[in-house]
Structure formats: C-alpha cells, structure tokens
C-alpha cells in the first residue's frame, strides 16, 4: 500500500475573499450554513471574514459558537496595525481579538510598491507593523497565519525585502506564512522557483493563496505543494473577486486522488460534489456544469463512439472514478449519438432497451429528427426519458391538453398576464385560470390549479430556472402556411425549463416558432416528469 504524503492544511476563505465576487451576497444565516457545510466536509480552517469591516461579519463571529464545529477551526481575518502606533492601542487589532477565534490571519504588505505607495510609510515601519501585530496575538495565545500580500510580485521586485517581511512575521511567532499571488498573474514555473526558495529558509509552515487571473490558480496551488508548501488557501467553487480564487474543491480532489495526500476525514471526499452544489445554492449562483470533478458535465460523454467503449470499460474515458468525489458519469444524447448512447442513457434511467434493437433504433431516429428541429436533449434528461417512454409505449398520461389562452395586459407601468387552461382529466373537463408575472408564470399557475385536486404531489414541485434561446439560422420561411415558400420569417425558439422537488432537479425542453407554445411544452413535460418521479397515479398508466 502506498504511504500517505505529509499532512497538508486546507484553509477555506469562501466567507471572506470568496464573498468579494460580483453577485455573491451572503446573509449571516447563509454564512453560518456555508461554514457548517465546509466543517462537515472536513476542511481544516474556515476563515469567517473580517470582523472589523462590517456589521454582518461582526454578527457572524458573535454567532459562530452556535455551530457544532467538528473538523474545522475558525479563523478571523484582519490587517496589521496602523503605521506609527502601538499594537496594544490599535482599534482594528482589538476588534480582531474580540472575535475570539483560535486562529487569527493577518495580512501584511510584502511588495515595496505597496509599502511606498499604498501604506505611504517607511519599509522599516512596515516590518515593525508585521512583527508587532503578530507578537500581539501570539501573546494572547492565538495561532497566527500571516498572509504576505502580493508576495510573488514583491519577490520579483525586491526578493530581499519580501523575505524580510516573512522573517519579521516568523520571528514574532507566526506559525504559517502564506505566500499570496494577490494579482493572480504568477505562472507555475515561477511558483516552483519561489516556493522552493522560501520553503528552505524558515522553520514554519509555508502556504499559498492563489488568484485565478492567469487561469493558473489551481495549477499554482498544486505545484506549490509539490515544491514544499503544506498549507493551501482557496474558496469553494473558485469564488472570489475578478477571476476568482483557487477552486479549493479541485485542489482537494487533485491532491487526494492524484498525489495520495489525505486531506479530508475518511470517506468525506465523496461529499465533494454535493458540498459544491450546496454552497452554490446558498450563494444563489448558477452551478457551473463544467467545473472540474464536481460539475454535472465533468464526466459527461456525448459522442456515440466513446459511449460504446464506456459501456464496456467505464474507466477508459474518466481520469478518476466519478464516485470518488460524489459525482457520476453521464452519457448525453444528441444528434451525435449512436445506439450505445441511447442504450446507456436509458439504462441510467432504469429503462432496458438492449433486448429490443428496433426500439433503440426508433428512439435514436426520433432524437435525431427532434434535434434537427431544434431540441437539445443533452441538457434535458427529463425530456429524453419522456421521449423514450413515449416511443416505447410506456409514458403515463397524467393529463391531456384541450387548449389554452394567454392574455397580457398593460396596467400603468406594469404588465399583467392571465392564462386559461382547458384540460381533459379522463372523462372530466377542467378549466382553470391563473395569473402571474409573465405568460409562463400564468400558465404554470393555471396548470397547477387544474391538477391540484387530482395530484397533491404537485405541492412539492416548483420551477427553478427558465432559459430562452432564439435558434439563429433556423428561421422558417412562411407564406400562406407553406414553410417551403419564401416569405416572412419566424425564428425557432427553444425553451429550457428546470423544475425541482425535495429530491433534486430536472430539465425539460420545448421548441416552437412561438415562445409561449415552446414554454408550454417544456412546462407540461416538467410537471409530467415530476409527477412520474413522485409516483403519482396517472389517469392512463404507462403501457395501457
């Protein structure tokens, strides 16, 4: 058995540096939930924020004791003392101390340009600020992590001074020196050179804090560990200002699976994907499907040639086992698909088509014809399953549409939408009216009212996302209803609608040259699929 590598400390800065991302705004409750998720995952340190910077962070630290911390230690972040005053009388250090965290992370200037132009103090005074502030917290019994801001730029400009800053922190008692690539412009070969130089000079832990402005944050973090760093800072999902921080989840997965480091408690690596999604939900940000290791597309295959091989050897086209990080392989179905794609994808959904080659071919032909019309099943698994069931004669009928009407009225400065939906529920004809913000919302409300008495499962189903795309190049020429006759144009519209219940999400697709028609198709399929997965009893059972 391969021996495990030396311990690497994983330091998460989502709640401070990560929250500086544009569009990311966490409430105190959100911050507490994110901290709990990171602690449950098993990171070593959670940086909670800067307690003296705003009331939100102050409240977070006041309530952080409510969490049942099991794996992580909490760190408070702040700057060194102000120039030309004592550490004991500095109000910012006092607030930082009052946060009462076991770890204090101090940021100090390591680039002469910033000392001269930003701090506007002497270089000797900056060294004193670093030493005094570090010693202040060490005397108070706190562990000090020193973040050397702009270290790589500072090292390039004046290596002697940048190293002197680290020396001041280390001699004052800092137990970790984090080399920050604050501008995010350092490339991996320079990281190797600098980290190797620094790691050989100090008897304390050396770490890195990398930004992604040159698209190297994860690579720089990984290669820094290979060069002697034993402390890595980053943020969940790579959140952060500008281009973000190092994606801590990719760093963890890379080091555990490819370099045999043991970073998380036993068994917790498999929670990586679910933690990434949970934090994205708390941040109210779209989860990037192409995110390495944890994204929904991270182990997705589209072409039929690969799908055939995957059916025989799943490990042939994945760089790691998806299950190791809590993810799974996906075979996507599109116009590039072959029979193998259809068989594998159907099998994922519990539909065995292998015994009927003619049925698999019929499904494939239907998919290719539909995608030629503008449908996209690779991102709409629910619509794919409904299509397979329809072709196979196994799609249950929960309701039948007789017709609908949508009216949009302008009232003052606001629009008001009203939808009337007429459904056939067996022998019963139901008419329902819904109002909403826009026609799709109104249709959704009317459909729910029409089905509510028969399908109580609807209360757990709700809309999550709605996307519209005009398919350029697919405009249909019309004249007298004949699409082959030149005339006016009507662009084909594709609607992708994501629904959810307490178990997860699903996406359906609708296509038409009318946006409301396309929206209704996606909406009706979304409700039908939700009722199917909820086990609702259909009016016309599958196969009947």
């Amino acid at each position: 058995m391969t021996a495990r590598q030396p311990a690497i400390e994983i330091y998460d800065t989502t709640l401070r540096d990560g929250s500086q991302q544009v569009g990311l705004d966490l409430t105190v409750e959100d911050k507490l939930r994110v901290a709990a998720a990171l602690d449950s995952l098993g990171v070593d340190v959670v940086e909670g924020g800067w307690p003296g910077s705003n009331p939100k962070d102050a409240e977070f630290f006041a309530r952080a004791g409510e969490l049942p911390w099991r794996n992580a230690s909490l760190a408070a972040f702040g700057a060194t003392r102000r120039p030309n005053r004592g550490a004991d009388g500095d109000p910012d250090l006092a607030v930082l101390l009052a946060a009462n965290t076991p770890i204090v992370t101090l940021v100090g200037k390591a680039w002469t340009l910033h000392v001269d132009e930003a701090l506007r103090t002497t270089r000797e005074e900056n060294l004193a600020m670093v030493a005094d502030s570090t010693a202040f917290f060490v005397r108070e019994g706190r562990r000090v992590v020193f973040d050397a801001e702009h270290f790589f730029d500072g090292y390039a400009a004046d290596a002697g001074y940048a190293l002197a800053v680290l020396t001041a922190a280390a001699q004052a008692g800092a137990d970790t020196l984090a080399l920050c690539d604050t501008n995010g412009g350092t490339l991996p070969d320079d990281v190797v050179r600098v980290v190797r130089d620094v790691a050989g000079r100090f008897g304390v832990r050396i770490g890195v804090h990398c930004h992604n402005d040159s698209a190297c944050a994860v690579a720089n973090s990984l290669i820094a560990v290979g060069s002697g760093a034993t402390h890595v800072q980053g943020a969940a999902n790579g959140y952060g200002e500008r281009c973000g921080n190092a994606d801590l989840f990719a760093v963890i997965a890379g080091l555990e699976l490819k370099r045999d480091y043991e970073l998380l408690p036993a068994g917790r690596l498999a929670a990586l994907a679910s933690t990434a999604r949970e934090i994205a939900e708390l941040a109210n940000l779209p989860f990037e499907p192409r995110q390495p290791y944890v994204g929904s597309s991270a182990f997705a295959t589209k072409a039929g040639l690969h799908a055939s091989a995957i059916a025989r050897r799943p490990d042939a086209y994945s760089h790691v086992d998806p299950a190791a990080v809590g993810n799974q392989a996906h075979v996507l179905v599109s116009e590039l698909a072959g029979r193998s794609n259809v068989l594998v994808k159907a099998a994922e959904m519990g539909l065995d088509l292998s015994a009927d080659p003619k049925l698999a071919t019929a499904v494939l032909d239907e998919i290719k014809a539909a995608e030629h019309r503008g449908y996209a099943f690779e991102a709409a698994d629910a619509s794919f399953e409904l299509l397979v069931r329809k072709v196979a004669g196994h799609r249950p009928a929960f309701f039948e549409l007789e017709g609908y009407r949508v009216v949009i009225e302008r009232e003052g400065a606001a629009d008001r939408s009203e939808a009337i939906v007429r459904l056939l529920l067996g022998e019963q004809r139901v008419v329902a009216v819904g109002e909403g913000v826009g026609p799709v919302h109104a249709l959704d409300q009317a459909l729910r009212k029409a089905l509510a008495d028969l399908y109580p499962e609807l209360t757990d189903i709700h809309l999550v996302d709605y996307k519209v795309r005009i398919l350029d190049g697919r405009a249909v020429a019309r004249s007298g209803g004949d699409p082959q006759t030149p005339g006016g144009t009507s662009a084909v519209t594709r609607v992708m609608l994501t629904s959810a219940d307490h178990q997860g999400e699903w996406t359906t697709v609708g296509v038409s040259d009318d946006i409301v028609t396309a929206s209704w198709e996606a909406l009706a399929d979304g409700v039908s699929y939700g009722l199917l997965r909820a086990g609702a009893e259909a009016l016309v059972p599958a196969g009947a």
Side-chain angles (χ1 to χ4, degrees):
M1 184 175 179
T2 304
R4 282 289 188 180
Q5 298 278 21
I8 303 296
E9 183 173 65
I10 297 299
Y11 182 109
D12 183 274
T13 184
T14 305
L15 299 179
R16 199 268 310 171
D17 210 358
S19 66
Q20 295 183 52
Q21 176 168 314
V22 174
L24 201 167
D25 185 19
L26 299 171
T27 66
V28 175
E29 293 295 338
D30 292 334
K31 290 184 62 130
L32 290 167
R33 292 189 181 100
V34 170
L38 292 167
D39 175 63
S40 177
L41 179 65
V43 303
D44 297 300
V45 182
V46 171
E47 185 181 270
W50 191 328
S53 64
N54 61 79
K56 185 189 298 183
D57 279 2
E59 182 181 348
F60 168 81
F61 284 105
R63 296 180 55 189
E66 299 173 8
L67 299 178
W69 298 93
R70 295 184 179 90
N71 298 299
S73 297
L74 182 62
F77 178 91
T80 57
R81 68 163 174 82
R82 300 175 187 179
N84 305 310
R85 68 184 308 167
D88 290 331
D90 189 280
D92 295 334
L93 298 190
V95 172
L96 195 54
L97 182 65
N100 200 30
T101 58
I103 301 173
V104 170
T105 300
L106 285 172
V107 62
K109 303 295 186 184
W111 187 4
T112 52
L113 175 66
H114 277 251
V115 177
D116 299 341
E117 300 298 331
L119 282 181
R120 293 177 179 252
T121 190
T122 66
R123 299 177 184 184
E124 292 74 17
E125 174 62 11
N126 180 59
L127 295 177
M129 291 161 61
V130 171
D132 293 348
S133 303
T134 301
F136 173 82
F137 287 105
V138 171
R139 287 195 303 269
E140 294 291 339
R142 308 298 167 84
R143 175 191 164 190
V144 175
V145 173
F146 179 71
D147 276 8
E149 190 179 28
H150 294 281
F151 182 81
F152 290 92
D153 293 310
Y155 186 97
D158 187 336
Y161 186 78
L163 292 169
V165 173
L166 297 183
T167 300
Q171 291 182 347
D175 111 319
T176 301
L177 305 175
L179 315 182
C180 300
D181 184 23
T182 312
N183 283 340
T186 306
L187 298 180
D189 54 343
D190 290 322
V191 170
V192 170
R193 177 175 53 84
V194 174
V195 171
R196 283 179 177 171
D197 181 30
V198 173
R201 294 174 178 269
F202 300 92
V204 299
R205 186 190 299 269
I206 301 300
V208 288
H209 175 112
C210 300
H211 283 256
N212 201 41
D213 299 72
S214 57
C216 292
V218 171
N220 285 344
S221 300
L222 295 173
I223 206 165
V225 169
S227 302
T230 56
H231 167 105
V232 178
Q233 298 186 10
N237 300 324
Y239 295 148
E241 62 181 336
R242 304 188 314 275
C243 302
N245 287 271
D247 179 358
L248 204 58
F249 298 146
V251 172
I252 291 170
L255 289 176
E256 285 227 11
L257 296 174
K258 297 177 180 292
R259 291 295 181 265
D260 208 33
Y261 285 94
E262 191 170 7
L263 305 177
L264 303 178
R268 294 308 294 160
L269 184 63
L272 208 62
S274 60
T275 302
R277 288 177 173 84
E278 179 184 359
I279 293 176
E281 184 68 24
L282 290 169
N284 197 28
L285 292 173
F287 186 64
E288 173 54 59
R290 295 173 62 237
Q291 190 170 327
Y293 294 100
V294 298
S296 58
S297 299
F299 302 98
T301 301
K302 187 172 181 178
L305 175 65
H306 288 176
S308 179
I310 288 171
R312 297 189 301 271
R313 282 296 302 267
D315 59 337
Y317 290 91
S318 293
H319 67 110
V320 298
D321 178 4
V325 292
N327 209 341
Q328 59 183 343
H330 295 281
V331 174
L332 305 178
V333 177
S334 74
E335 76 280 358
L336 300 179
R339 267 183 88 253
S340 297
N341 288 68
V342 174
L343 293 175
V344 173
K345 188 63 179 175
E348 285 181 5
M349 299 173 172
L351 304 173
D352 184 7
L353 304 181
S354 59
D356 190 345
K358 290 184 178 179
L359 178 58
T361 300
V363 171
L364 180 58
D365 290 345
E366 184 71 23
I367 288 167
K368 291 187 175 181
E371 293 232 347
H372 182 68
R373 298 193 303 271
Y375 289 81
F377 293 105
E378 62 193 70
D381 282 1
S383 285
F384 169 75
E385 180 171 344
L386 292 176
L387 183 146
V388 172
R389 289 180 176 275
K390 177 182 177 182
V391 175
H394 297 310
R395 175 173 175 171
F398 294 100
F399 56 89
E400 181 182 350
L401 175 68
E402 183 182 83
Y404 62 78
R405 184 174 67 192
V406 178
V407 178
I408 303 174
E409 297 179 340
R410 186 74 171 180
E411 294 183 349
D415 290 331
R416 171 179 170 273
S417 295
E418 179 182 90
I420 300 175
V421 172
R422 300 184 302 277
L423 302 180
L424 297 178
L425 304 178
E427 297 181 355
Q428 182 184 7
R429 182 175 184 267
V430 177
V431 179
V433 179
E435 293 184 358
V437 182
V440 178
H441 186 213
L443 281 170
D444 177 59
Q445 294 301 303
L447 180 59
R448 287 173 177 275
K449 287 182 181 180
L451 300 177
D453 291 340
L454 190 59
Y455 300 115
E457 295 88 352
L458 266 176
T459 57
D460 292 330
I461 300 171
H462 58 278
L463 300 182
V464 173
D465 197 11
Y466 174 82
K467 295 185 177 72
V468 178
R469 182 181 174 190
I470 304 300
L471 302 180
D472 295 335
R474 304 193 66 88
V476 180
R478 293 184 181 274
S479 179
D482 182 359
Q484 302 302 319
T485 304
T489 60
S490 178
V492 176
T493 301
R494 180 165 66 213
V495 169
M496 305 290 287
L497 192 148
T498 301
S499 306
D501 59 16
H502 63 280
Q503 299 179 51
E505 298 181 352
W506 60 93
T507 300
T508 49
V509 59
V511 173
S512 173
D513 56 7
D514 178 77
I515 188 172
V516 175
T517 302
S519 299
W520 167 263
E521 183 182 2
L523 177 64
D525 275 3
V527 168
S528 293
Y529 186 80
L531 293 174
L532 175 67
R533 66 187 260 138
E537 185 175 347
L539 292 169
V540 181

